[in-house]
Amino acid sequence: MSWEVVIGLEVHCQVNTKSKAFCGCSTEFGAEPNSQTCPVCLGMPGQLPVLNRTAVEKSILTGLAINGRINLESKFDRKNYFYPDLPKGYQITQFELPIVEGGYIDIPTKDGEKRLGVTRIHMEEDAGKSMHEGLDAVSHIDLNRSGIPLMEIVSEPDMRSADEAIAYLKQLHQIIKFLDVSGADMEKGQFRCDANVSVRRPGEPFGTRTEMKNMNSFRFIKQAIDYEVNRQIELIEDGGAVKQESRLWDSVNNESRPMRSKEEAHDYRYFPEPDLPILRVTQEEVDAIRAGMPELPSQLRHRFETEFGLSPYDADVLTQTQALSMWYEALVAAHPVNPKQCANWLANELLGRLKDMNKDITESPISAAAFAVLLDRMEDNTISGKIAKDVLDAMMETGQSADEIIEAKGLKQVSDSGAIDSIIEAVIAANPEQTEAYRGGKDKLFGFFVGQVMKASKGQANPAMVNERLKALLG
Amino acid sequence: MPFRSLSDIKSQLDAGETTAVDVAKLYLDRIKAHNGDLNAFVHIDPPHVLAQAEASDAYRAKHAARPLEGLPIAVKDIFCTLDGPTRCCSNILEGFEAPYDAHVITLLKEAGAVLVGKTNMDEFAMGSSNETSAFGGCKNPWNTDCIPGGSSGGSAVAVAAGLTPAALGTDTGGSIRQPAALTGLVGLKPTYGRVSRRGIIAFASSLDQAGPMTRTVKDTAMITAVLSSHDSADSTSVVDAPSFDWLKACDAKDMKGLRIGKPKEYFIDGMDAKVRQLVEDALKQCEALGAEIVDISLPHTEYAVAAYYVIASSEASTNLSRYDGVRFGHRCDNPEDLEDMYARTRDEGFGSEVKRRILTGAFALSSGYYDAYYLKAQQVRTLISQDFKAAFEQVDVIATPTSPIPAFKSGEKTNDPLTMYLADIFTIAVNLAGLPGLSQPCGFVDGLPVGLQWLAPAWREDKILHAASAYEGATDWHTKSPFGFEPKQAGGNV
């Protein structure tokens, strides 16, 4: 009998506000330890929180984007636990009444789209960082991160495989990037995931779940979930039982281990935060945020497919980031004759080259307008596709325009039939055996002659004309 | 001078009959003479006090005097101040010096006040007798065998013994009004949200409110007028809080047309009969001044103390989590590991009453008990608010005794926390409902002062000031001063 995997995800996402959730300190990443702190985020006596309005707006925006319901009244609570990087001894969070409830994200699967539920999004504050490594008998604490606003996005237990979990996370990650509500840089801890994993026989109630923590890349998340699923199935099949626990993923040894029971045996003693009144937003404010919402990846994909005739694959590639989709749209605007050609060349040629340079589209050395000129030159037969790739290389390297490079290197395509004929005649003269064989019926040799002519023209001969004239002259 | 009101001293300063420096010197001398016995102040820095007074005189020479120009005011050790230590009278804040002033301290400074020093209090404001202070208790000048009440005991003693003309306290369940009553002073807890809590060390965030302790109603109004100011850095500080002319509200000479509610739940068996009689007498006097006394009921009063101790302790249990030895204050020596550091730091740093409340609060909030305790207490809180709301549809103000008993002997109740908690039985409901409350002297029992408490709807401190001023004008209780603390007549420090 088969096993069914049940996965629910909790994503902690740093909201990219300028100042912290409850004080005016900067949220800039990478500053000197403890340089971005004040009495409020240091938890000093008598200091009080004041809620960051932008964090609220960005949380609402995210809620709208995942089709959630915005609670016009929500509440803050205290989550109590002791840890040196938690200055107040409690985290301000939303426990009972979060700002967003309900919602969903659609993911592509091989059986079509699947709708995955989002339970809630709540606002909270980040803790500082403890550093133990390389220190002897002491630990250091950096409270720059203390008080940075977070959204915790909690899914329903709707995923049935690690792949679905990853698809959900990628969609969510993309939405968040599009909305510009978070840097969502996983390496910087701006997008962190915990996964609740259980297995069951189909049709049976949920099995006991474990919580996988400390995963900061899609790859590790998939590995950790797969590992945990196998561990649980083996455990049960061997007659054992899954214990509800938190487990840490060890990406070095590719295994998870249970956290010490002390680390998880918390009674957080949640209760309403008396220092903050009920958070009230009006329907008008929510509507205004909705009106300012950018086009989401799913909407863009749909539009790229219908408006520009792109394949679902190309549409997906070009909507990975908002910057890329905007670049594509700028390219189409400058080269409107062939949107599909734009997509092919952007996705295959430019992005490939940028990837080799370890750059993303925002760092491209050439603009969409300059790239469009290159496509124009192919369209008007000034250069062939093959030459265009060389021109693109030169453009990337020098920043010069396509026309400058074509001119300077004399790469203009030869479309003069007289000139092409004389090259063909020279090739025929130089290859009497092959000419004989071709004329004797060996049609396959046609490609050989095309290659020779193109080589002799340094690739500049118009390929269509070469075909035409070769056929005529080879007879 | 030492027993004169703040407004009298202000008049003298305004008239040029004395200077801020002379006033400051007088009180510094009295502190020097009496604080050793009374233990009202836990921190004083005379040169700094004189420097402030000199600066005030210099300011007055060039500008129009500010509302509290040159007037000495002492503050409870719960207010964070840039100058000197802030300890909340706890060992856990050993060595702590706040890098900021509480917002109300800033307001006092901006109003020209001269800050005299930090006054004694129950540790973290948890107590009704000032006996839980890490610096030891302080003595009631009316009878030095007795406690002065708490938690703002030091502020009460300092004003009552004429060591300062006014002081600030904080009131979470009666901590201004009860010591004011027990030392013969006027003390006001303003409406919750009127005075900023920023920089005041939190005990119970939803209940704490700062206010003045003075000799007269007008003095209280003068100071509260300065403290009432929205603070955008305190999310519970109310924007556009309803206001009025604080001094004008004290002009009342009679109580014509005033309907005073007399709640039966505040005149009960078990309270001191003489205290009860004095408050009944005071109400008769109010009637003579034109008031109408209306018998009312606040039916959920009996649950107030229980609800209060659940809510206040719950909030305190997490407000005090930040005292962990990591960033400031006391840290135990040679901790073995993190848990040992937390455990010993907090065990050494907190006194037994503070520990009792942290444990009570942590228990009330813990999983499985939350509904039975914290949630139930919040429901009681709502009912108590509704009681008051209904009552204020019938009456303008409510009058009650402030404390069921006068000051008791030091050590008498320290081993019986429940009896101690009942000292706040008449003051607590007001904090739960967020309403303003004022205590003023209304007589003596065996030489110990007794307080009359006035309550009003939220934001209507003006009604309280009206009633209290009229009563004060018709009586002389506020003019009494304790025996043994008179200014020396010769060779001395008048």
Side-chain angles (χ1 to χ4, degrees):
Chain A
M1 209 165 137
S2 66
W3 289 95
E4 185 175 52
V5 178
V6 177
I7 302 164
L9 297 167
E10 292 168 14
V11 171
H12 286 89
C13 180
Q14 277 189 3
V15 183
N16 59 351
T17 51
K18 284 198 178 68
S19 57
K20 292 185 179 180
F22 300 114
C23 64
C25 288
S26 166
T27 56
E28 198 69 45
F29 183 82
E32 273 291 294
N34 299 307
S35 63
Q36 293 175 165
T37 57
C38 72
V40 175
C41 59
L42 292 176
M44 298 192 76
Q47 292 296 327
L48 299 170
V50 177
L51 180 60
N52 182 327
R53 189 168 190 87
T54 308
V56 177
E57 289 169 357
K58 293 200 169 196
S59 302
I60 291 173
L61 184 61
T62 310
L64 293 171
I66 56 111
N67 314 291
R69 185 176 73 252
I70 309 303
N71 284 327
L72 298 182
E73 281 192 0
S74 64
K75 235 165 58 109
F76 287 91
D77 301 277
R78 291 183 182 177
K79 178 180 178 177
N80 296 286
Y81 65 95
F82 284 99
Y83 206 69
D85 59 22
L86 187 73
K88 299 188 295 294
Y90 56 83
Q91 176 194 33
I92 302 178
T93 181
Q94 294 193 299
F95 179 64
E96 209 184 319
L97 193 54
I99 184 124
V100 179
E101 284 182 287
Y104 59 84
I105 289 175
D106 292 329
I107 58 158
T109 70
K110 56 182 185 302
D111 309 318
E113 285 204 329
K114 181 173 175 182
R115 180 155 291 183
L116 301 173
V118 175
T119 315
R120 56 190 268 155
I121 300 178
H122 63 255
M123 291 182 276
E124 57 187 29
E125 58 178 338
D126 213 341
K129 266 187 195 161
S130 297
M131 289 163 289
H132 316 288
E133 277 169 40
L135 298 167
D136 189 26
V138 294
S139 293
H140 288 170
I141 298 159
D142 177 6
L143 294 174
N144 282 351
R145 203 177 69 178
S146 164
I148 286 186
L150 293 176
M151 287 184 282
E152 181 171 338
I153 303 156
V154 182
S155 84
E156 292 290 308
D158 284 354
M159 295 87 174
R160 292 291 172 268
S161 68
D163 286 334
E164 286 187 8
I166 300 302
Y168 166 89
L169 289 172
K170 285 190 168 168
Q171 291 287 322
L172 180 61
H173 189 258
Q174 198 185 13
I175 290 169
I176 280 167
K177 296 274 283 184
F178 260 71
L179 298 176
D180 189 28
V181 294
S182 171
D185 186 330
M186 295 177 84
E187 282 178 13
K188 291 180 185 167
Q190 293 168 344
F191 188 91
R192 320 194 281 268
C193 177
D194 298 338
N196 289 299
V197 178
S198 64
V199 298
R200 65 173 171 185
R201 299 291 186 186
E204 287 189 353
F206 290 138
T208 305
R209 65 186 162 83
T210 57
E211 190 178 15
M212 308 297 299
K213 288 181 168 284
N214 196 29
M215 300 178 295
N216 63 351
S217 84
F218 292 132
R219 194 162 58 90
F220 292 156
I221 295 165
K222 182 165 162 40
Q223 286 173 353
I225 292 174
D226 285 337
Y227 177 94
E228 182 58 15
V229 166
N230 288 331
R231 192 189 69 86
Q232 290 187 10
I233 291 173
E234 275 177 29
L235 195 63
I236 297 170
E237 289 184 344
D238 288 349
V242 176
K243 195 176 132 206
Q244 185 163 348
E245 63 189 359
S246 295
R247 298 177 67 88
L248 277 177
W249 179 246
D250 175 348
S251 58
V252 177
N253 297 310
N254 283 331
E255 59 179 28
S256 66
R257 57 175 174 82
M259 293 173 78
R260 284 180 292 134
S261 58
K262 252 185 202 169
E263 289 172 309
E264 55 163 341
H266 285 310
D267 177 351
Y268 290 120
R269 292 180 282 117
Y270 286 102
F271 84 112
E273 163 58 288
D275 286 333
L276 289 169
I278 285 175
L279 172 58
R280 291 190 172 84
V281 292
T282 64
Q283 190 57 50
E284 289 70 34
E285 286 167 320
V286 174
D287 291 343
I289 292 168
R290 191 194 303 273
M293 184 154 68
E295 213 172 358
L296 292 170
S298 57
Q299 297 165 326
L300 264 179
R301 277 198 299 275
H302 182 69
R303 189 160 65 78
F304 282 6
E305 286 173 32
T306 52
E307 197 175 319
F308 301 133
L310 301 193
S311 68
Y313 177 81
D314 282 345
D316 188 47
V317 169
L318 295 177
T319 53
Q320 283 305 305
T321 67
Q322 194 171 37
L324 182 57
S325 69
M326 287 168 69
W327 213 96
Y328 172 67
E329 294 215 68
L331 180 60
V332 172
H335 183 77
V337 290
N338 198 341
K340 279 178 86 165
Q341 176 84 332
C342 290
N344 289 336
W345 274 73
L346 172 55
N348 299 324
E349 302 304 328
L350 184 62
L351 291 184
R353 283 167 174 75
L354 287 171
K355 198 178 172 197
D356 292 342
M357 297 162 73
N358 227 343
K359 288 184 169 175
D360 70 30
I361 193 70
T362 60
E363 301 158 311
S364 167
I366 61 172
S367 67
F371 196 58
V373 172
L374 180 69
L375 301 187
D376 288 343
R377 292 302 160 260
M378 277 191 285
E379 196 72 35
D380 64 16
N381 286 323
T382 306
I383 52 172
S384 67
K386 189 172 181 306
I387 292 290
K389 291 177 189 176
D390 297 337
V391 175
L392 179 57
D393 285 334
M395 289 169 74
M396 304 281 287
E397 201 174 310
T398 64
Q400 286 180 302
S401 74
D403 285 338
E404 282 167 341
I405 291 162
I406 292 166
E407 186 64 41
K409 295 197 173 177
L411 297 176
K412 215 168 196 175
Q413 184 160 269
V414 178
S415 301
D416 169 41
S417 62
I420 288 174
D421 282 359
S422 57
I423 295 170
I424 291 174
E425 277 154 15
V427 167
I428 289 173
N431 296 285
E433 278 172 40
Q434 284 83 350
T435 306
E436 193 71 18
Y438 179 82
R439 287 180 174 150
K442 230 178 167 185
D443 292 351
K444 276 186 187 165
L445 279 169
F446 188 73
F448 165 79
F449 286 103
V450 172
Q452 291 299 308
V453 173
M454 292 309 287
K455 192 177 168 190
S457 74
K458 294 188 185 104
Q460 284 168 258
N462 180 329
M465 286 188 69
V466 169
N467 275 344
E468 188 196 315
R469 296 305 305 155
L470 257 178
K471 276 181 182 152
L473 294 171
L474 279 171
Chain B
M1 170 79 95
F3 297 100
R4 299 189 70 172
S5 69
L6 205 60
S7 32
D8 280 356
I9 300 170
K10 182 177 162 58
S11 303
Q12 280 188 286
L13 284 165
D14 288 348
E17 292 162 17
T18 186
T19 65
V21 169
D22 285 344
V23 172
K25 279 182 177 161
L26 180 138
Y27 286 105
L28 284 173
D29 283 347
R30 287 191 58 82
I31 291 167
K32 200 174 167 190
H34 297 291
N35 196 52
D37 285 343
L38 296 172
N39 203 22
F41 284 88
V42 295
H43 176 75
I44 35 171
D45 179 359
H48 180 62
V49 175
L50 289 175
Q52 293 175 72
E54 280 164 15
S56 172
D57 284 334
Y59 185 93
R60 187 188 285 275
K62 286 188 187 159
H63 311 279
R66 295 165 289 183
L68 301 174
E69 193 67 64
L71 296 173
I73 297 180
V75 303
K76 191 178 180 180
D77 197 27
I78 201 167
F79 295 92
C80 288
T81 51
L82 275 166
D83 304 307
T86 299
R87 291 281 302 266
C88 224
C89 288
S90 178
N91 285 325
I92 201 116
L93 279 166
E94 186 186 357
F96 179 67
E97 295 196 13
Y100 42 83
D101 275 331
H103 187 60
V104 291
I105 297 294
T106 306
L107 293 172
L108 289 183
K109 283 181 171 177
E110 286 172 0
V114 173
L115 300 175
V116 188
K118 293 293 200 43
T119 57
N120 205 344
M121 58 184 280
D122 282 295
E123 183 182 6
F124 281 100
M126 297 174 186
S128 307
S129 65
N130 211 110
E131 289 167 291
T132 72
S133 167
F135 298 111
C138 56
K139 291 178 180 170
N140 191 325
W142 294 95
N143 179 342
T144 52
D145 290 337
C146 289
I147 56 88
S151 65
S152 309
S155 288
V157 173
V159 181
L163 311 187
T164 176
L168 288 195
T170 59
D171 191 317
T172 304
S175 282
I176 287 174
R177 290 160 290 151
Q178 185 254 15
L182 269 45
T183 56
L185 301 178
V186 177
L188 172 70
K189 181 203 93 74
T191 306
Y192 184 82
R194 191 182 278 292
V195 176
S196 167
R197 293 185 297 114
R198 178 164 53 102
I200 302 174
I201 294 180
F203 164 12
S205 309
S206 74
L207 301 163
D208 296 346
Q209 196 67 189
M213 302 171 80
T214 62
R215 312 194 70 80
T216 68
V217 175
K218 192 177 170 191
D219 290 0
T220 275
M222 259 168 71
I223 294 175
T224 315
V226 169
L227 304 183
S228 307
S229 159
H230 172 63
D231 176 11
S232 59
D234 171 1
S235 306
T236 62
S237 161
V238 170
V239 190
D240 299 329
S243 197
F244 44 81
D245 186 327
W246 291 81
L247 295 181
K248 221 170 161 189
C250 302
D251 287 346
K253 297 281 180 278
D254 62 52
M255 298 193 188
K256 285 196 184 84
L258 193 73
R259 288 167 306 161
I260 300 174
K262 185 187 171 201
K264 65 175 185 205
E265 293 81 5
Y266 286 71
F267 295 82
I268 48 172
D269 295 340
M271 66 182 292
D272 187 298
K274 291 175 188 162
V275 168
R276 178 174 179 162
Q277 191 54 53
L278 282 174
V279 176
E280 303 262 15
D281 291 349
L283 287 177
K284 286 204 183 77
Q285 188 132 21
C286 293
E287 239 174 337
L289 287 164
E292 178 193 349
I293 309 298
V294 183
D295 287 322
I296 59 166
S297 172
L298 298 166
H300 297 94
T301 302
E302 63 172 305
Y303 306 111
V305 173
Y308 169 83
Y309 276 94
V310 169
I311 292 169
S313 302
S314 295
E315 293 183 9
S317 73
T318 100
N319 279 335
L320 270 58
S321 293
R322 65 190 64 200
Y323 308 106
D324 57 6
V326 175
R327 287 146 297 128
F328 49 78
H330 176 69
R331 181 192 289 178
C332 70
D333 290 330
N334 307 315
E336 278 174 29
D337 55 21
L338 182 61
E339 191 163 315
D340 183 47
M341 183 182 86
Y342 283 150
R344 280 203 288 129
T345 295
R346 289 167 66 82
D347 185 39
E348 292 164 8
F350 290 134
S352 58
E353 181 60 29
V354 172
K355 286 177 192 165
R356 181 180 292 120
R357 305 226 192 169
I358 291 174
L359 288 171
T360 305
F363 177 78
L365 291 177
S366 59
S367 161
Y369 298 95
Y370 180 87
D371 289 2
Y373 294 104
Y374 185 81
L375 207 61
K376 184 68 76 183
Q378 288 291 10
Q379 289 163 346
V380 169
R381 188 174 189 172
T382 304
L383 292 173
I384 286 171
S385 290
Q386 288 169 354
D387 280 358
F388 279 113
K389 208 167 173 214
F392 285 123
E393 280 168 15
Q394 302 173 57
V395 297
D396 299 304
V397 290
I398 292 172
T400 78
T402 308
S403 166
I405 47 171
F408 47 89
K409 293 263 167 44
S410 301
E412 194 178 286
K413 296 183 193 292
T414 40
N415 293 321
D416 186 359
L418 283 182
T419 315
M420 184 78 90
Y421 292 176
L422 290 176
D424 297 330
I425 187 169
F426 295 149
T427 47
I428 271 172
V430 173
N431 298 77
L432 290 172
L435 305 180
L438 176 143
S439 181
Q440 73 179 137
C442 68
F444 292 85
V445 171
D446 303 331
L448 290 167
V450 168
L452 166 67
Q453 179 176 236
W454 295 101
L455 315 177
W459 314 115
R460 296 313 302 268
E461 287 89 340
D462 56 330
K463 293 193 174 188
I464 288 177
L465 295 175
H466 174 167
S469 298
Y471 178 78
E472 186 180 80
T475 55
D476 63 357
W477 307 116
H478 63 287
T479 63
K480 310 286 187 197
S481 53
F483 180 76
F485 295 91
E486 303 85 351
K488 294 194 180 79
Q489 292 302 315
N493 44 5
V494 173

